[in-house]
Amino acid sequence: DVKVTQSSRYLVKRTGEKVFLECVQDMDHENMFWYRQDPGLGLRLIYFSYDVKMKEKGDIPEGYSVSREKKERFSLILESASTNQTSMYLCASRDDRYEQYFGPGTRLTVT
Amino acid sequence: AQSVTQPDIHITVSEGASLELRCNYSYGATPYLFWYVQSPGQGLQLLLKYFSGDTLVQGIKGFEAEFKRSQSSFNLRKPSVHWSDAAEYFCAGVNNAGNMLTFGGGTRLMVKP
């Protein structure tokens, strides 16, 4: 059974903190994605990676960076968290038929 | 620009009634299209997908969707809704030359007993 895991389900951070969100997949997929989900806006792509050490900006990359040192792991980094980054963050990996498999999400609150 | 639109933010149906959730897309060529469901506190689960061929696609949990090129639509249907179908539903598309999935804003389904 395919599996995408995220390091935390809930996270509370203070403004200005550096935040790491981790995602791991066990399907040997090359493509991985980070989205944020906000009510009424659906899912918006922050960054994606198509190979180790390779990344591309999505629709809303400002304020975020990513790291992909190993194929199975894709990290999202908030260099200096702000309150407008309070959101649900979803990680996904994609197979070669364009189907994306999602993790359970991390609900991040920045105070 | 490529886009996916779900016109209905909320829909309420009675248990046992039929359901149709609307999805419209705007792509230069025929995209790959998907419907996902998200139950409270969960990640997204794929219900069904359309790549090509038969325009009526069957999915899991008794759902189906019909691709209509003339209407740029990919509506999701279920003949008889169960209380457990209450969730948020997302339509998504990707250009077959691209890598990025574009999501609609989602439709929240409530089921009345």
Side-chain angles (χ1 to χ4, degrees):
Chain A
D1 200 14
V2 297
K3 204 164 182 72
V4 178
T5 57
Q6 295 183 230
S7 51
S8 306
R9 293 297 303 272
Y10 300 93
L11 209 52
V12 180
K13 295 292 182 180
R14 293 193 182 278
T15 301
E17 279 193 82
K18 191 169 186 175
V19 182
F20 292 87
L21 303 182
E22 305 283 339
C23 175
V24 177
Q25 52 100 358
D26 66 357
M27 296 163 281
D28 202 37
H29 291 163
E30 293 180 347
N31 293 275
M32 297 186 72
F33 304 80
W34 274 107
Y35 297 89
R36 65 176 282 174
Q37 181 181 12
D38 300 288
L41 298 177
L43 277 74
R44 293 178 292 166
L45 182 66
I46 304 171
Y47 267 97
F48 72 95
S49 169
Y50 52 91
D51 203 350
V52 174
K53 295 191 187 296
M54 307 303 288
K55 62 186 179 184
E56 291 279 348
K57 293 180 180 179
D59 298 319
I60 51 165
E62 297 78 19
Y64 303 94
S65 62
V66 290
S67 172
R68 185 133 181 240
E69 297 296 320
K70 294 185 177 182
K71 192 174 187 179
E72 67 270 19
R73 187 179 300 269
F74 190 34
S75 302
L76 180 69
I77 303 156
L78 287 66
E79 295 289 343
S80 177
S82 63
T83 54
N84 63 12
Q85 293 178 309
T86 291
S87 187
M88 170 72 89
Y89 290 88
L90 290 164
C91 174
S93 70
R94 199 203 79 185
D95 65 18
D96 57 6
R97 291 278 290 167
Y98 290 93
E99 181 173 341
Q100 294 198 13
Y101 300 84
F102 286 83
T106 296
R107 186 166 294 281
L108 173 67
T109 302
V110 182
T111 61
Chain B
Q2 300 167 353
S3 68
V4 175
T5 305
Q6 294 177 247
D8 304 304
I9 297 174
H10 293 101
I11 282 186
T12 300
V13 299
S14 297
E15 190 167 17
S18 63
L19 171 70
E20 182 168 26
L21 302 182
R22 296 185 291 163
C23 173
N24 296 103
Y25 66 88
S26 172
Y27 282 83
T30 300
Y32 298 155
L33 295 164
F34 306 80
W35 274 100
Y36 285 87
V37 61
Q38 184 181 33
S39 298
Q42 305 292 319
L44 275 69
Q45 180 184 21
L46 182 70
L47 286 174
L48 49 78
K49 57 190 175 186
Y50 172 77
F51 287 169
S52 64
D54 194 348
T55 56
L56 187 61
V57 180
Q58 300 298 320
I60 62 171
K61 305 186 180 190
F63 286 92
E64 66 178 27
E66 187 171 11
F67 172 71
K68 293 186 176 179
R69 186 192 307 276
S70 61
Q71 299 177 18
S72 297
S73 70
F74 187 58
N75 294 349
L76 182 71
R77 301 194 296 246
K78 187 169 185 178
S80 178
V81 169
H82 188 263
W83 64 266
S84 61
D85 293 324
E88 189 152 23
Y89 292 80
F90 292 95
C91 183
V94 60
N95 184 298
N96 57 16
N99 200 7
M100 297 195 297
L101 208 55
T102 300
F103 284 84
T107 299
R108 183 167 295 280
L109 173 67
M110 297 180 64
V111 181
K112 293 189 299 185

